[in-house]
Amino acid sequence: MNSRALLRSAALVTTALLLGGTLAACSSNGGDDTASGNAVDASTATSAADLGGFDALVAAAQAEGELNVIALPEDWANYGAIIAGFEEEYGITVNSASPDASSAEEIQAAENLKGQDTAPDVFDLGAAVALENTDKFAPYKVETWDDIPDENKHPEGLWVNNYSGVMSIGYDSDKLPEPTSLDDLLSDDYRGAVALNGDPTQAGAAFAAVGWIAALNGGGVDDFGPGIDFVGQLRGAGNFLTLDPTPATIASGETPAVFDWSFNNVAAAADKPSWKTTVIPGAAYVSFYNEAINADAPHPAAARLWQEWIFSDEAQALFLEGNAVPVRVDALKASGAADEGLIEAATFGTEGDDWISPDQAQTEAANAVLAERWAATIK
């Protein structure tokens, strides 16, 4: 399997922004001169070189001593190990707030806490929310920048794709049969059983779920309507749950079937051995999440060091161990830092030719139809 081809097919949304994205020029050192020994404002640094090199970035981040992250559940794409690795490597305390927050709530938190020490330093966002909020991000290029395909990053580093998953259905095999088609989910077997991970008007995973359902129901990334229609059918059949699933609701049996990223559904089996994951044959929905630095980060050096960590071989390999597809998978393979078996498991047996992901115009159209129809569909 050609992993670069898979990444390219998953990054259509990124390509669209690259074609139209612009960024006003900004000073890289705020007028200070590292050679003269003057301090450099980390909030204006667009690379480690602007701060005098990677070691200087580490020193500045360690002087800050803390990093604020948001919406990073420990069992989501192996973020628990990634956070622990950062703390161990650099001796910086990571303050993790609202781990179950949606992408939209990340942005809201940054707005509400602007100017305070508790504001998020970095974001991990679904594509739809990231594209709507580029004015809130600080440009930054990590040292591994050249290993990241052009279509997976903003040209100035306002956002960079970090990892992806394949949209899937997780189900309790002790209670439910394996679904092999959408129609299976309308049967009495799934009465009061089917949930999405979040609200598709706010959460990237739920947005992707509706897109995948649409593609399997006669629509696609350019027409989310059939996805909303099918959820309405689930609701009418008494099979749709409005409860937001979590590892706890899965373990307790409250949410017996969940549309979510494959890496989340696979991880849920750790606490519930009967939990299985499947991808219905046909189009496979794949969409990268986006790493970005809050332009108003209270710990700007630590935020930039976190960005360096996320795109390092170590952290990218940790994504892979969590059944997520890291954006630098080709570089990991070339360096021997990635296991081919893990790559196959992370893609869940799907091929690049089957992968779909909306571009910017399609994302905007999907957001519009969801805003118009979603609330009425599930009420």
Side-chain angles (χ1 to χ4, degrees):
M1 176 169 47
N2 186 322
S3 57
R4 177 58 61 86
L6 297 182
L7 291 173
R8 289 183 183 279
S9 65
L12 296 176
V13 62
T14 308
T15 303
L17 188 59
L18 285 171
L19 293 174
T22 59
L23 179 72
C26 75
S27 170
S28 64
N29 62 12
D32 290 324
D33 183 358
T34 57
S36 66
N38 294 331
V40 176
D41 182 358
S43 68
T44 67
T46 60
S47 70
D50 287 351
L51 286 166
F54 188 80
D55 289 345
L57 171 61
V58 172
Q62 290 175 334
E64 293 173 348
E66 296 182 82
L67 174 79
N68 298 338
V69 303
I70 186 171
L72 299 184
E74 291 189 357
D75 53 2
W76 175 286
N78 211 20
Y79 260 120
I82 291 168
I83 290 171
F86 179 78
E87 290 183 318
E88 181 178 355
E89 181 74 15
Y90 299 112
I92 294 171
T93 299
V94 176
N95 306 311
S96 182
S98 305
D100 295 321
S102 68
S103 294
E105 288 168 336
E106 291 185 58
I107 298 298
Q108 189 61 53
E111 293 175 348
N112 292 344
L113 297 171
K114 184 175 180 179
Q116 300 182 40
D117 290 342
T118 54
D121 289 303
V122 291
F123 302 112
D124 182 273
L125 302 164
V129 174
L131 292 176
E132 292 175 348
N133 291 282
T134 55
D135 60 326
K136 298 176 176 66
F137 307 153
Y140 187 79
K141 295 183 179 181
V142 294
E143 291 196 327
T144 56
W145 179 261
D146 291 343
D147 290 341
I148 303 168
D150 288 344
E151 60 269 33
N152 292 106
K153 59 194 179 188
H154 184 277
E156 299 299 331
L158 283 179
W159 50 258
V160 187
N161 292 162
N162 43 15
Y163 62 92
S164 182
V166 179
M167 189 48 54
S168 66
I169 300 174
Y171 65 99
D172 185 349
S173 63
D174 282 349
K175 295 181 178 180
L176 304 172
E178 178 181 356
T180 59
S181 70
L182 286 181
D183 287 343
D184 288 348
L185 300 176
L186 295 171
S187 72
D188 288 342
D189 289 333
Y190 294 88
R191 179 78 61 183
V194 184
L196 307 185
N197 187 359
D199 179 335
T201 66
Q202 300 184 50
F207 178 93
V210 176
W212 185 41
I213 294 169
L216 296 173
N217 195 41
V221 292
D222 57 350
D223 182 10
F224 271 42
I228 300 173
D229 293 340
F230 183 80
V231 174
Q233 289 180 267
L234 283 175
R235 182 72 165 166
N239 292 6
F240 185 68
L241 282 171
T242 55
L243 180 63
D244 193 2
T246 66
T249 66
I250 290 173
S252 67
E254 295 174 83
T255 52
V258 176
F259 279 90
D260 202 353
W261 295 116
S262 52
F263 54 78
N264 282 337
N265 275 326
V266 170
D271 294 324
K272 193 171 187 67
S274 60
W275 193 256
K276 306 298 182 185
T277 304
T278 188
V279 175
I280 293 174
Y285 194 108
V286 176
S287 181
F288 278 92
Y289 277 77
N290 299 269
E291 189 73 27
I293 296 171
N294 184 359
D296 297 305
H299 309 104
R304 284 153 177 79
L305 184 60
W306 172 259
Q307 196 94 333
E308 295 283 0
W309 171 248
I310 287 296
F311 295 101
S312 68
D313 282 1
E314 294 86 351
Q316 291 276 291
L318 288 171
F319 279 127
L320 194 57
E321 290 177 14
N323 289 287
V325 183
V327 73
R328 291 184 56 246
V329 65
D330 281 343
L332 297 186
K333 289 172 65 176
S335 67
D339 183 285
E340 291 284 356
L342 289 177
I343 294 173
E344 180 66 20
T347 58
F348 222 77
T350 61
E351 298 289 342
D353 290 344
D354 298 325
W355 287 20
I356 59 171
S357 184
D359 61 24
Q360 185 175 4
Q362 291 165 334
T363 297
E364 291 171 352
N367 280 333
V369 72
L370 284 165
E372 179 183 353
R373 297 184 53 197
W374 182 254
T377 297
I378 64 168
K379 70 178 181 180

